[in-house]
Amino acid sequence: MTLFDDIYPFYPLQRSSFLFSGRLITIIIVFLLLAASLLIILPGIRGKSRLFWMIRIVTSLFIGAVLVALNYTDDWAEARMTTNATYKSFSDAVVNADIGLHIGLYGINVTLKGNPIVQFNETIDYNEMFSWHDTIEEEYEEALEKGLPNPILYIAEKFTISNPCGLIFQYRYSGRYASATLWTAFCCWILANILFSMPVILYAGYMMMATAAFIFFAMASFSTIMNAPQCVFSIGSNSFEAQYSHSFWLALATGLLCTIIGVLVTMLHFLIPEKMKEAFSVSVDSYEDEDVSYGEGYLNAVFLDGVTISPLSSKVREEHI
């Protein structure tokens, strides 16, 4: 075999660049269908209640979709840099590329994009996933066999068990606890929606605050990795460290939104309980029917044999008068 522009010809072609997570697409489609099916009823609601119900449906489904999606996103923490790096093993070829590390609750995503994309007659646009359901040792070995670029292998190797950085232990356990508390928050969100449709709006507010609390617990669990000694990734002449990214801040915003909703519902329940029941279309059985006056009626004497009829109360007499 011969070299072609310093690249060995027996390397397999790289995987095409990953565009969007299939799980996230599924989650988005499911919640969009739920939103569409619930928004269909809006034309049947009159007055200002229509706007209130629209905001209620959209806000609630947004919170639910975020709680599910955060378990599968790959950008709780990330790091990026542009550098010159050795492209592949057994080659002196150096490429200029953008390197990205994206960390989720279940694994990492490593990207490599050339500047320009086509160098050495190859399209340098990689997006590789490494999950840690147990360890990433097997996936790392597969990456070695496929001959992936050196920067991707270097970053993936940092998350193996044998690496002295110990990143796999930090991120795997913190990710598991964060995911568990997010699913608990999702259960609280379901209970809150059920309680909002019952005459116990106060407890629905409490469950929204519980949802927010578990979201904050998930963030705290993931944040523990920042207290551990950070491992510096050095590629070429540059280096980077992972920092909080979009999913972390989205979780924070969603937690604050749940807190605001829970506090407002609780406060308004004590200040204006009747209006809250009216706004949520909740009716409570009362004894107001005692004050209802009945019109004049006729009794059939055939069915009244042996029946004692009590005299009308003074209140009823006055109403008839």
Side-chain angles (χ1 to χ4, degrees):
M1 294 186 181
T2 59
L3 291 176
F4 183 77
D5 288 339
D6 286 334
I7 302 299
Y8 281 92
F10 50 77
Y11 281 117
L13 294 177
Q14 68 266 30
R15 246 189 292 179
S16 60
S17 180
F18 176 77
L19 297 178
F20 205 71
S21 171
R23 288 180 176 179
L24 291 181
I25 292 177
T26 303
I27 293 169
I28 292 172
I29 292 175
V30 168
F31 278 90
L32 284 178
L33 291 175
L34 284 174
S37 60
L38 292 174
L39 292 175
I40 290 175
I41 67 174
L42 289 181
I45 302 176
R46 300 179 180 179
K48 298 179 180 179
S49 298
R50 182 183 301 173
L51 177 62
F52 172 77
W53 274 87
M54 184 184 70
I55 296 174
R56 176 182 171 183
I57 291 172
V58 172
T59 303
S60 179
L61 289 179
F62 169 78
I63 294 172
V66 168
L67 290 176
V68 177
L70 285 176
N71 284 277
Y72 303 106
T73 55
D74 298 317
D75 56 353
W76 277 77
E78 68 176 8
R80 295 174 179 271
M81 72 173 179
T82 301
T83 186
N84 295 317
T86 303
Y87 186 36
K88 289 185 177 180
S89 302
F90 310 108
S91 171
D92 295 330
V94 176
V95 297
N96 182 270
D98 296 323
I99 303 171
L101 168 63
H102 310 272
I103 303 172
L105 302 183
Y106 290 102
I108 61 172
N109 172 229
V110 185
T111 59
L112 178 70
K113 188 172 183 179
N115 292 317
I117 293 181
V118 177
Q119 299 183 45
F120 301 105
N121 293 327
E122 280 196 39
T123 300
I124 303 175
D125 193 4
Y126 290 83
N127 195 316
E128 300 295 327
M129 290 291 302
F130 299 90
S131 60
W132 47 58
H133 294 292
D134 294 318
T135 64
I136 67 170
E137 305 294 323
E138 294 182 1
E139 295 185 7
Y140 176 67
E141 291 177 1
E142 291 178 0
L144 287 173
E145 293 175 358
K146 289 186 293 185
L148 291 180
N150 278 354
I152 295 178
L153 295 176
Y154 169 78
I155 294 175
E157 192 269 339
K158 289 283 188 180
F159 289 87
T160 57
I161 294 179
S162 58
N163 192 273
C165 284
L167 293 178
I168 181 65
F169 301 105
Q170 300 174 23
Y171 283 98
R172 183 175 63 182
Y173 291 116
S174 62
R176 285 179 177 177
Y177 290 128
S179 179
T181 49
L182 280 177
W183 284 118
T184 307
F186 181 73
C187 294
C188 292
W189 170 79
I190 294 176
L191 289 175
N193 282 276
I194 295 174
L195 294 173
F196 272 126
S197 60
M198 300 172 65
V200 283
I201 300 176
L202 176 62
Y203 296 101
Y206 290 159
M207 290 310 299
M208 288 303 297
M209 288 189 283
T211 302
F214 281 108
I215 293 175
F216 294 142
F217 290 155
M219 296 174 60
S221 175
F222 188 81
S223 298
T224 55
I225 59 177
M226 297 302 176
N227 297 327
Q230 293 295 302
C231 184
V232 179
F233 296 85
S234 300
I235 301 176
S237 58
N238 298 327
S239 61
F240 60 60
E241 295 181 5
Q243 302 294 333
Y244 296 129
S245 188
H246 305 92
S247 292
F248 184 87
W249 301 118
L250 179 59
L252 176 61
T254 306
L256 292 176
L257 177 61
C258 293
T259 302
I260 293 172
I261 294 174
V263 171
L264 282 177
V265 169
T266 304
M267 290 178 58
L268 293 177
H269 178 270
F270 289 108
L271 296 176
I272 47 174
E274 297 302 326
K275 290 187 177 180
M276 286 292 292
K277 295 173 184 177
E278 180 182 355
F280 285 90
S281 301
V282 175
S283 59
V284 183
D285 295 335
S286 62
Y287 298 97
E288 293 178 356
D289 54 345
E290 294 181 357
D291 298 334
V292 177
S293 60
Y294 298 94
E296 184 179 356
Y298 299 93
L299 300 176
N300 192 334
V302 176
F303 298 100
L304 297 178
D305 293 339
V307 177
T308 303
I309 302 176
S310 59
L312 294 174
S313 63
S314 59
K315 181 178 180 181
V316 175
R317 286 197 189 113
E318 292 175 359
E319 291 177 352
H320 282 288
I321 292 174

